[in-house]
Amino acid sequence: MRRIISVLLENEPGALSRVVGLFSQRGYNIDSLTVAPTEDATLSRMTLTTQGDDLTIEKITKQLHKLIDVVKVIDLTDGLHIERELMLVKVKASGDARAEVKRVVDIFRGQIIDVGPASYVIQLAGVSAKLDAFIEALGETAVLEVVRSGVSGIMRGERALRA
Amino acid sequence: MELLSGGEATIRALRDSGVKYLWGYPGGAALHIYDALFRQDDVKHILMRHEQGATHAADGYARATGEVGAVLVTSGPGATNAITGIATAYMDSIPLVVISGQVAQEKIGGDAFQETDMIGVSRPIVKHSFMIRRAEDVAETIAKAFYIARSGRPGPVVVDIPKDVTDPNYKVPYRYPDKIRIRSYQPSTKGHSGQIRRAVKVLLEARRPVIYAGGGIILGNAADQLTRLARQLNFPVTNTLMGLGGYPGSDRQFVGMLGMHGTFEANTAMHHADVILAVGVRFDDRVTNTPDRFCPGAQIIHIDVDPSSISKNVPADIPIVGACDAVLDEMIEQIETAGEGPDAAALAEWWQQIDEWRRRHGLYTAPRHEPSVGSLIKPQDAVRALYKVTEGKAYITSDVGQHQMFAAQYYLFDQPRQWFNSGGLGTMGYGLPAAMGVQMAFPGADVACVTGEGSIQMCIQELSACTQHQLPVKIINLNNQALGMVKQWQDMQYGSRYSQILYEDSLPDFVKLAEAYGHVGLRVEHIDELEDKLRECFSYKDRVVFVDIQVDPHEHVYPMHVAPGSMRDLWLSKTERT
Ligand SMILES: Cc1ncc(C[n+]2csc(CCOP(=O)(O)OP(=O)(O)O)c2C)c(N)n1
Ligand SMILES: [Mg+2]
């Protein structure tokens, strides 16, 4: 099962490599990983997506906790949560295709953020499945480049992950 | 406040962290620190002959005393040579602080002379690591390193210090913190009382219980509690290789070591148990045999200070996270207040069964080996003679191989911190330097390293450091002329195709070798001289003695788990199995 794990960790050099190292060392896989400092500059927030049954996720969570730099760990998939991913797509767009691409972008509520003579750069945010669907919907259009941020997630409601 | 350079602050902070002995080896990136060391007397540096030896010796000292072992090495090859010792300590949860010199910060990343990314190289085998960037941070970082190394589940911590940070010309105010607080690190201590209550209920209802106790008992100073609880309940106790001495080895309730080379009675009792109280253990594959065939009928109570150890390999029915001593104390108290013991009749029947197993195939009651005759000395008899001559009171270190298992099986350890070996990593070469650390902790005591001719050669250079630092350890070399444990596996699984386990007459004359280092060398070639030579060995109080005992080159270690299989599936000899 796909899980989204949020980790609050010290914003120290080496902290990220400890988390990444843990996954490879213990044979857990990482599907995506995002990390950046939070409003408190001493802390970073990381979102990881991985696959595993309850037992594996429990092991991963315990191992993450064991890292000295890790302050808090939660499995977002345990409760109500929101997840988002940002994608930038560069497509070939000339002639008739320009209008067609524009129409698909509008349907998906994306934005065209760069317009070249024969290309567009499109920005799209949403759950990962929506981003997949968008690529699918582009159909015949030639996709030149895709950049995805990986999933970021947060709990719904008042509960917050804080140090 | 006193002004100190980063180098001076390093040594001062070691002193203020309680370090008496610093095991190490100098080199370029650590020279400012070595100069600061020269100008003080508080911390005594022990110059070893190899950085691996330094880490093992600090590790031996830590295991013997319960304090944090301290190591100082230079960058590059100094740091990488320390890696095996760090990994050894990590696998056995031994508290170490390893200070490594690093090239100056401006050179980092440029493939400078003797530059190695020590933080990166050591990352998977440390509890934590730090790189110090400013002289101002030295004291605080070292204090944190010691706190992390010793608290919770202990382990090695690396502190990498670039040379510019130790610059003798840049002085900063020195202040050692009184208290360490790390917001992301709060190891649990007390166990959950509700869980303990549930566990006590199960223990009191048990009919075929076994206490399975490991290295956590030793590390957590809980041997006393374990013994009290076991006596209170009249339960049988088995120890892991790492836990030997955690319960008195010569006590009636002790059924011996369990696991791959554990006793028939311990492994069989585990298999048939209805309740297993696992304390400070990690269900290692060398214990469980095939995990999904492990103790099919048992409810498992698992106490450990590290939550990630619980249900890692075998699921626990009642997990209790907490320090072993505190949890056991609370258990003992709850049982006392409960006022009733377990079912005496059921236990009597269980003991009868265990005693019957003991009689049938016990190591001491029905020996697993032929007797020694003439010049055919059985390695088991060598360990038994050692036990007799030292009256069971020596501190014993070991290496890795058959000799290690014979030492674990036949020397009965009555005290915690009496037996030292690399259980987790299985590091050949551990024994001699570890013995030096133990000897440093207990001057005047008998410290013996039970080793093999293969293992001893992995750190034999430390015979020289023994001379320099007056560490009169005794080396008991069970010389079977082969990498015996590998040979045993090749006998059992590879049709006796002896691939690369023989030395083709290239072994040194160990007696002469010992003498070359200024030590006493003794050779034992006949069973009749074994005890006398061992007595002679221990009569040299101030000398290192190397006893080279020529043992049967064809012996195997038994019992041995049949794999895949359950706990009770054992080879009992070359021809019998359960
Ligand atoms: C550093 C290291 N290399 C290799 C091994 C694999 N190994 C395990 S036991 C053993 C043989 C040890 O020979 P010896 O020290 O003579 O002990 P014996 O088994 O003969 O008693 C070897 C090579 C190891 N444990 N450690
Ligand atoms: Mg050998």
Side-chain angles (χ1 to χ4, degrees), chain A residues 90-153:
Chain A
K90 186 177 287 177
V91 294
K92 233 193 193 133
S94 51
D96 293 348
R98 281 177 96 87
E100 173 58 15
V101 169
K102 173 88 173 57
R103 205 171 59 81
V104 179
V105 170
D106 287 343
I107 292 170
F108 278 82
R109 299 212 195 117
Q111 289 159 289
I112 295 171
I113 53 174
D114 182 64
V115 179
S119 70
Y120 283 153
V121 174
I122 303 151
Q123 168 186 306
L124 188 65
V127 298
S128 306
K130 172 178 160 181
L131 307 192
D132 296 341
F134 175 73
I135 300 277
E136 189 110 333
L138 284 175
E140 303 283 276
T141 313
V143 173
L144 299 174
E145 229 178 314
V146 174
V147 191
R148 294 172 71 147
S149 65
V151 174
S152 290

Side-chain angles (χ1 to χ4, degrees), chain A residues 10 42 59 62 66 68, chain B residues 129 183-184 306 310 312:
Chain A
E10 297 289 347
T42 66
K59 285 184 187 178
K62 282 175 171 177
K66 199 164 144 181
I68 307 288
Chain B
S129 52
R183 68 174 160 185
S184 58
D306 176 6
I310 293 179
K312 181 176 65 179

